[in-house]
Structures are given as structure tokens and as C-alpha cells.
Amino acid sequence: MAEVTLNATLPTAATAHAEGHQHPIKLYLVVWGWLFVLSTCSYLVDYFNLQGHLRWSLIVLFMMLKAGLIVAVFMHMAWERLALAYAILLPPLLLLVFVGIMAFESDYTLLSRIVFFKAGV
């Protein structure tokens, strides 16, 4: 009989899911603060009139950091299983790798076309 009452007092996965999990408000305020700081840094890149690859590298870096914070905290990916996180985060990462490979390939193709057509003149 004691075993039945012990099991009845323990929360099950269904009751824990139904109640939900509340995160402290401090976590959301800290993330909001970091998003504000990163957005300010992104605007400062334009304010200081940075140009070229440095400008775009910083803008993309700040954008990715902000997106990572939003996905991790507001979409609750920080508390998900690792397999689910890999299923959601790995495809965009691989897409970025493939885009980088294509960028290098396009530079090679452009260089070879310049050399070929210049030699024909």
C-alpha cells in the first residue's frame, strides 16, 4: 500500500508536461540585454563606417549570435535533447559549409575564365 501512495505522489512525465516549466525572469532579462548589446554593436559597425569584408563579417557574426540566443532561450533549444538540437541546427550549418565551398569554386571558375579568355585575345 505504501508503494502505491509513493508512486501517486511522484510527478509523471505527463503531469510535468501539462504543468510546463517556468524559467526565471532574470534569464529572459539577461538574454534581452545581450540582444540589445549585440544589436548596438551591429549598428556601431555602420556608425564607424567600416567597409569591405570586416563590415560584413561583423554584421554576420552579430546576426548569428543573436539568432543563436533566440533559438537557445526563446525556442527552448537549450533544454531539448541533443538529437533534436542536431536535427534542427546541423542542416543550416552544413548549408553554410556548402555555400562556402561554392564561393571558393566560383572564384576558381572566374579566375580560369579570365586566364582563358585573356590568352585568346
Side-chain angles (χ1 to χ4, degrees):
M1 191 72 167
E3 184 177 323
V4 172
T5 57
L6 179 64
N7 287 339
T9 59
L10 292 176
T12 64
T15 59
H17 180 68
E19 292 174 9
H21 180 71
Q22 295 294 325
H23 300 289
I25 191 74
K26 181 182 176 185
L27 173 69
Y28 294 111
L29 292 176
V30 168
V31 170
W32 180 82
W34 275 110
L35 289 172
F36 181 77
V37 167
L38 291 171
S39 294
T40 303
C41 291
S42 182
Y43 290 121
L44 286 176
V45 168
D46 284 332
Y47 181 77
F48 288 122
N49 202 19
L50 297 174
Q51 296 298 324
H53 290 294
L54 177 63
R55 175 185 181 188
W56 292 109
S57 298
L58 288 174
I59 288 174
V60 168
L61 174 71
F62 294 139
M63 177 190 64
M64 295 296 283
L65 288 174
K66 289 189 294 186
L69 275 173
I70 290 168
V71 167
V73 177
F74 295 118
M75 295 177 70
H76 306 286
M77 286 300 294
W79 300 281
E80 291 293 334
R81 292 180 172 246
L82 191 58
L84 182 60
Y86 281 156
I88 293 174
L89 298 177
L90 196 59
L93 180 65
L94 289 174
L95 185 65
L96 287 174
V97 169
F98 290 140
V99 167
I101 291 170
M102 287 188 296
F104 286 124
E105 179 72 22
S106 68
D107 286 342
Y108 171 75
T109 303
L110 178 64
L111 180 64
S112 66
R113 287 181 179 179
I114 289 172
V115 169
F116 176 75
F117 290 123
K118 190 173 187 177
V121 172

